Amino acid sequence: MTTADEARERAAEFKAVFARVKAEVAKMMVGQEHVVDGVLTAMMAGGHVLLEGVPGLGKTLLVRSLSEAVSLAFSRIQFTPDMMPADIQGTMVLTETAGGGHELTFQQGPLIANLILADEINRATPKTQSALLEAMQERQVTVGRRTIELEEPYCVMATQNPVEQEGTYPLPEAQLDRFLFKLVVGYPAEDEYHAILDRTTGADEVDIQPVTNGEEIRSLRNTVRSVAEPEAARTFAIRLVVATQPDNALAPSSVAECASLGSSPRGVQGLILAGKVQALLDDRFAVSTDDIRAVALPVLRHRILLNFRAQANNVSSDELVEDVLKSVKPPHAVAA
Amino acid sequence: MAERDTEPAGIGADLDKVVLRGRQRLRLWAAKEALAKAFVHAFAAALVVPCLALIGNLAGLAGPSLWPFAPMATVVLAVVAPLVIVAVYALVVILREKTDRRVCLALFDTLLDLKGRLQAADEFVSRGPSGPFEQAAVEDAAPFAQRALDTELPAVRTPPPVLRARRWPLGAVSVLLLAAAVLLGELPPITGSSVLALADEGAAGLPAAAETALEESTEPPLPKDSSRRSLDGQRPTDPSQGDSQGESERAARSQSGTGDARSSSAKSSKAASLARQAGKAAAGASGEGSSKQQPPRERPAKPRKENKSRPEETKQEQPEASKGVSGGTGRSSGSRTSASDQAAADDKARNDEDEGDATDDADEEEDEEQKAASASKPMLNNRKAAVDRSLSPSGLSDQENEQANGRGGPSGLKKTRGVAAMLLGVPMPDHLRGKSNPGRIKVERERAEPEPKTSLAANAADRGSRRESIGYLPHPALAPWMQETVRDYFLAERARDLGDLARADSTPNTTD
């Protein structure tokens, strides 16, 4: 077997597992195909996902279904305003020993798992939200003098409601930057409501079977990272990211006027990794500028901090990303 | 997944062929684009030859022509030159076009929607595939490279020429210039002596002057000093004398502050005034009938000004003028007949008319004085009254702002400043009628005697002691076993820091 054949096999395996997981999730989740694809892409690329949508659209259901399909350690954290960092990281608790004695032992928080559903993450205080920073970036939790390495695959999937702003705390930029994707969950189409009613109001129960495990997902993540990245795709991703920075010469006028902060280097990493997943799904072994373009919106939309002018003019970060995509041309591009 | 029957070694040659094909296509495309863009410069280029021909022919009026081409050749040049310039521009653009190898491959990637397969494969081939996925990418691109070679490329459409409406008048201008240049080239050259002769003839006989010019056009041009003399109608007999006179005249003109152009205009106006006086004299000689049939006289534009600026010339002209007038009078007196009363009435009417002329001349003199004063005080002539900046409410009248100069607006409504300006010209009284405040506050005082109040305070000693249990009160301090546990925990932690981790972990922190 040549090296190229090995690559082909790994790519085929990746695509097959991806399709299996997607099919299992689709048993429960009706529609929202781009959201499902985004969540799976982020999980395969090794990133975290922020799901934003109004209540009742199946954000929590999606993550819960995914946890059942991938056979990973799953924990759900319902964020509340009175939650403290120790509630999710863990703390020392006094326990009684078998001999009748007592001892202080470390009680792990729900953050220590493989797949984390951080539900309504913006309802917790920034103090508690900050407890996620170390876990999301460095894959470890430090409590006191104890540092706990988190097991791979580790994926945080957070949800937030953009409408109810009363009693919520917007996520700090440092935490937003740690999410690979921000996916906006919209309303289902009219014909999808029938399937939703069939699956939720009927007597039949949907049974989701695990189709993969953590070991396989770790292997698939290595496959993703092995995808070749040509210079053109890399240059295009870098140009896209620097074009979101308002002081950069590549930034379009709308970004210069309406953005106060642009994407960090994490944005380039996210573009390339997510683009590699897209290339594998498209039966290619090298990422292209089209792949970068396809994932630019979910990767960059939450990394652009809008200023007061943008808020006053009702300019969204999605529009700024669209402007960036229009203004930045791929290298060596020709108009056919 | 891609086909695997293609040899990866052969993809390099295929990619080279694809690059060659793409480069040819891009050069053709660039050439057409360059030609289309070059039309922008065609109109400007069309001006070059007509301008040069016009300048050359204009210069040839006073001497040998600087434009060596015949009119037909000029027209041909004017047509060919823009085409040549456009072609050279396009050629320069094409030669400067350096088509990159990756751009050639990107052309086929875009045309065939290959998602960058050819570019990636070419990059990996050039540096040598370093991993399984790069090798697979190269092999994957092989059938697509063959497909790029086999695919018939769509024809490159010729872009429409870039024509900007702003530049279209340049074409019309170039045609006009070309026509003017050709017409000027057809005219015989006019020497300086012929021009001077034209001025010498003055208003007396323009056709004769033209004939003289045509006659003298063959003669060599005269020296400058002689031509300057001929303007005054006097030919210098001695060149040295003429030089000295010319020097003195130039000095006098420079003292009076007039330039050459002004003096030449003065000369022409002087000739016109002489002609007018001669005509007046002729009218006096012809009698009443001729004076009545005379159309209204046309006065020269500004004769007085020239007279004031050049007093010595006025003195020279004065005897001639008076001679002409008196000669006319003498002739009229000599022809006095029985209808002398009627002639006297006509003379009176003529004198009245002359008086009217004198009044007009006086008004003009005043204007000239004012203009002369404006030379020393340039802003005095245009001085106007200052803008009314009073803050009083205005705009209540319907009159327009006569001093409207852009500062206060065309009407009086906007002149007012301050609070009154905010009232938008609505007349309002200075103060409102009615009660502006509640008025005076009436304060009434009453005398009230203090009344004693009974106190309900109880004596502390009468409360008594507690008779029932107070309930469970937690002690702030921990229980002893709790204190022991915490102390042991921190001792264990400290021991672990000291390096005795194994013993600290094995020893349970328990208390009985």
Side-chain angles (χ1 to χ4, degrees), chain A residues 3-5 7-8 92 94 101-102 104 145 223 226 228 230-231 280 282-285 288 290 332 334-336, chain B residues 1 4 29 102-103 106-107 111 115 117 119-120 123-124 132-136 139 485 489 493 497 509-511:
Chain A
T3 53
D5 292 333
R8 286 192 186 91
M92 303 297 296
L94 191 66
H102 295 82
L104 277 172
R145 293 173 180 269
T223 301
S226 301
E231 188 63 34
L280 285 173
D282 198 25
D283 294 334
R284 279 180 284 113
F285 305 98
S288 74
D290 292 332
H332 324 304
V334 287
Chain B
M1 216 37 84
R4 297 170 51 187
W29 189 8
R102 291 168 294 187
V103 177
L107 171 69
L111 283 175
K115 304 283 181 66
R117 281 185 171 97
Q119 288 184 80
E123 181 183 336
F124 300 148
F133 276 83
E134 290 188 358
Q135 181 71 29
E139 292 183 11
T485 304
Y489 170 73
E493 288 289 324
D497 285 344
N509 299 326
T510 56
T511 55

Side-chain angles (χ1 to χ4, degrees), chain B residues 36-219:
Chain B
K37 287 179 182 171
F39 274 95
V40 174
H41 308 285
F43 287 114
L47 282 174
V48 175
V49 171
C51 282
L52 289 177
L54 190 63
I55 292 170
N57 286 334
L58 279 176
L61 288 178
S65 176
L66 298 177
W67 183 251
F69 300 104
M72 187 53 71
T74 305
V75 172
V76 171
L77 270 179
V79 174
V80 170
L83 299 178
V84 170
I85 291 174
V86 165
V88 168
Y89 175 83
L91 190 64
V92 168
V93 170
I94 293 168
L95 290 179
R96 289 175 65 184
E97 179 82 19
K98 292 180 178 176
T99 312
D100 191 66
R101 182 181 176 90
R102 291 168 294 187
V103 177
C104 300
L105 293 171
L107 171 69
F108 286 95
D109 277 335
T110 309
L111 283 175
L112 304 178
D113 194 21
L114 302 182
K115 304 283 181 66
R117 281 185 171 97
L118 296 181
Q119 288 184 80
D122 186 61
E123 181 183 336
F124 300 148
V125 166
S126 63
R127 73 182 185 203
S130 59
F133 276 83
E134 290 188 358
Q135 181 71 29
V138 170
E139 292 183 11
D140 178 45
F144 292 103
Q146 193 62 41
R147 185 176 148 200
L149 287 173
D150 297 339
T151 304
E152 191 70 27
L153 289 175
V156 176
R157 64 178 180 84
T158 303
V162 181
L163 297 175
R164 292 179 184 157
R166 284 184 305 174
R167 302 216 173 186
W168 288 6
L170 292 179
V173 170
S174 64
V175 170
L176 290 176
L177 287 177
L178 182 64
V182 169
L183 288 176
L184 276 176
E186 291 290 334
L187 286 179
I190 300 171
T191 58
S193 59
S194 60
V195 175
L196 295 175
L198 275 173
D200 195 17
E201 291 296 329
L206 201 58
E211 287 178 11
T212 310
L214 289 175
E215 288 171 1
E216 292 182 356
S217 61
T218 55
E219 295 179 1

Side-chain angles (χ1 to χ4, degrees), chain B residues 2 39 78 95 108 186 199 205 221 231 268 298 302 305 322 325 340 384 401 433 465:
Chain B
F39 274 95
L95 290 179
F108 286 95
E186 291 290 334
L231 276 172
S268 62
E298 291 182 7
K302 291 170 184 176
K305 180 181 175 182
S322 60
V325 171
S340 61
K384 292 180 180 177
N401 181 13
R433 293 178 182 175
S465 60

Side-chain angles (χ1 to χ4, degrees), chain B residues 275-346:
Chain B
R276 189 187 66 181
Q277 287 166 358
K280 199 182 285 185
S286 62
E288 56 191 62
S290 61
S291 67
K292 282 184 180 178
Q293 289 170 359
Q294 280 280 342
R297 290 182 301 167
E298 291 182 7
R299 286 198 301 271
K302 291 170 184 176
R304 296 288 179 178
K305 180 181 175 182
E306 305 305 327
N307 289 342
K308 274 185 177 291
S309 62
R310 297 176 61 189
E312 63 271 14
E313 289 180 9
T314 311
K315 284 175 186 174
Q316 289 177 1
E317 293 165 13
Q318 194 67 29
E320 292 180 10
S322 60
K323 195 188 296 177
V325 171
S326 62
T329 310
R331 283 184 188 179
S332 64
S333 62
S335 63
R336 190 171 289 172
T337 59
S338 58
S340 61
D341 293 339
Q342 182 64 32
D346 290 336

Side-chain angles (χ1 to χ4, degrees), chain B residues 315-385:
Chain B
K315 284 175 186 174
Q316 289 177 1
E317 293 165 13
Q318 194 67 29
E320 292 180 10
S322 60
K323 195 188 296 177
V325 171
S326 62
T329 310
R331 283 184 188 179
S332 64
S333 62
S335 63
R336 190 171 289 172
T337 59
S338 58
S340 61
D341 293 339
Q342 182 64 32
D346 290 336
D347 285 342
K348 186 175 183 301
R350 199 180 306 133
N351 288 336
D352 291 341
E353 189 178 339
D354 287 341
E355 282 177 9
D357 287 341
T359 310
D360 292 339
D361 290 344
D363 293 337
E364 288 178 5
E365 194 168 345
E366 283 180 10
D367 292 337
E368 294 303 321
E369 284 174 356
Q370 198 173 2
K371 288 187 176 178
S374 69
S376 57
K377 298 175 181 177
M379 298 304 293
L380 195 63
N381 203 22
N382 296 327
R383 193 174 65 181
K384 292 180 180 177

Side-chain angles (χ1 to χ4, degrees), chain B residues 393 396 419-420 423 425-434:
Chain B
L396 305 180
V419 176
L423 300 179
V426 178
M428 293 182 69
D430 287 339
H431 60 273
L432 300 173
R433 293 178 182 175

Side-chain angles (χ1 to χ4, degrees), chain A residues 259-307:
Chain A
S260 60
L261 276 181
S263 172
S264 70
R266 282 199 189 101
V268 189
Q269 299 166 3
L271 285 174
I272 292 292
L273 283 173
K276 286 181 174 182
V277 174
Q278 292 294 312
L280 285 173
L281 293 176
D282 198 25
D283 294 334
R284 279 180 284 113
F285 305 98
V287 63
S288 74
T289 55
D290 292 332
D291 300 325
I292 303 295
R293 187 181 289 276
V295 298
L297 186 59
V299 170
L300 295 178
R301 62 157 57 117
H302 57 288
R303 301 175 200 271
I304 298 177
L305 185 64
L306 302 176
N307 59 14

